[in-house]
Amino acid sequence: PISAMAGSEVGTGGKLNIALALDTTLSMEGTRMAGLTAAATDLVESVERADKGQGNAKIALVPFADYVRIDTSYDGEDWIDVAEDREVEWNTIDEANSTNCRQEGSGERQSTVCDDYVYTTHTATVTWIGCMGSRPDGLHKTGAFDGNPFKGVAGSSQCDIDYNLMIPLTNEFDEIEGAIEALTAKGRTYLPAGLQWAWRALEEESLFTDEKVDEESEVQNILVLMTDGSNTVNLGGEVDGFDGIYHWGTGDENYDRENADALTLEMCESIKAASIRLITVAYEVDDADTKTMLRTCASKGSDFYDAKDAAKLKTAFGKIGSGFSSVRLTQ
């Protein structure tokens, strides 16, 4: 005898606030970014289809590297403290006059190495362009404002006008899709930056003009964290007269990673304790410790995805998106 059985259950959908913290560091350049663009667009379209124009779902896009960059129009709000314009001086390698220069390493760890160096000195006035550092005194571990302004840093070693902009919660899905399509790869990996600002997008007291979906009825708050690699920087770097902390690292890669990983795990636990469902995705990650960390961060075992290539990332994001539908096939 032959028999068949199908089952369905009410999905985890309904009213949703979703923050997508997407790694857009230099190691994402090329085919990885193309894979992310396709997968993330599918996820947004799934949410849009499930919402059916009812306004029951909103999405925030939080591209991150060593910093998250927000719109400069927020300068002047009481929740932000922006570094003043200042003069900076820095050196770059003059490859034309240095000896035997070549590129070593790859992705975030690629650098120019020469046998003998000649440097060119530059000076400029730097101003805040939206790059967000960390607060001192342990406040970098929390998402809430609580009267302690977030720190807008200026003249960091990496973050510039080419960094992708964060988009707060919105149901303008076309805007999110357009921003995903335009994502570029730059910077180094600092997972706490993505977690911090995705968490802030989901805070009950919104910092931004777009409010969360009405919470008078049951609403899910979901944070999706996707990365293709390990932490490569940590807290480090201060400027006289400004108490914001830059993410320059210490120069010791092992120390930076160890401390950034510990902070990542601590923040994950705090986010979950705030009744936010945390979904994590490892995208072409080879490092076993990083995958273990991401698995630990996830709210439950099935909320961790190990996507070994672009096709599997598309599948993972497809499963995440389908989980927001009102009804889904289970067997």
Side-chain angles (χ1 to χ4, degrees), residues 25-53:
T25 52
L26 188 59
S27 57
M28 285 289 296
E29 194 169 31
T31 56
R32 287 187 183 182
M33 184 63 77
L36 171 62
T37 297
T41 299
D42 283 356
L43 190 156
V44 173
E45 289 175 348
S46 293
V47 173
E48 185 175 12
R49 285 194 299 270
D51 185 53
K52 298 178 181 178

Side-chain angles (χ1 to χ4, degrees), residues 217-245:
S217 57
E218 186 176 352
V219 177
Q220 281 201 94
N221 294 308
I222 299 168
L223 195 162
V224 180
L225 173 69
M226 187 288 304
T227 184
D228 75 328
S230 310
N231 283 306
T232 55
V233 295
N234 184 40
L235 298 178
E238 298 178 353
V239 173
D240 290 341
F242 181 67
D243 62 356
I245 302 174

Side-chain angles (χ1 to χ4, degrees), residues 308-325:
K308 299 185 186 304
D309 54 36
K312 289 183 173 58
L313 181 71
K314 195 174 180 69
T315 299
F317 273 39
K319 288 181 178 179
I320 294 169
S322 65
F324 303 145
S325 301

Side-chain angles (χ1 to χ4, degrees), residues 102-107 109-114:
R102 66 268 182 199
Q103 297 298 308
E104 293 188 356
S106 61
R109 300 188 186 279
Q110 182 174 326
S111 61
T112 301
V113 177
C114 307

Side-chain angles (χ1 to χ4, degrees), residues 66-109:
D66 35 357
Y67 299 94
V68 167
R69 181 170 166 252
I70 68 173
D71 196 288
T72 55
S73 63
Y74 296 112
D75 190 5
E77 298 287 344
D78 62 357
W79 51 266
I80 190 169
D81 177 23
V82 174
E84 295 183 356
D85 293 359
R86 61 191 177 88
E87 294 291 324
V88 296
E89 180 178 296
W90 73 98
N91 293 325
T92 59
I93 299 173
D94 180 355
E95 295 187 42
N97 293 303
S98 298
T99 304
N100 191 28
C101 294
R102 66 268 182 199
Q103 297 298 308
E104 293 188 356
S106 61
E108 297 174 34
R109 300 188 186 279

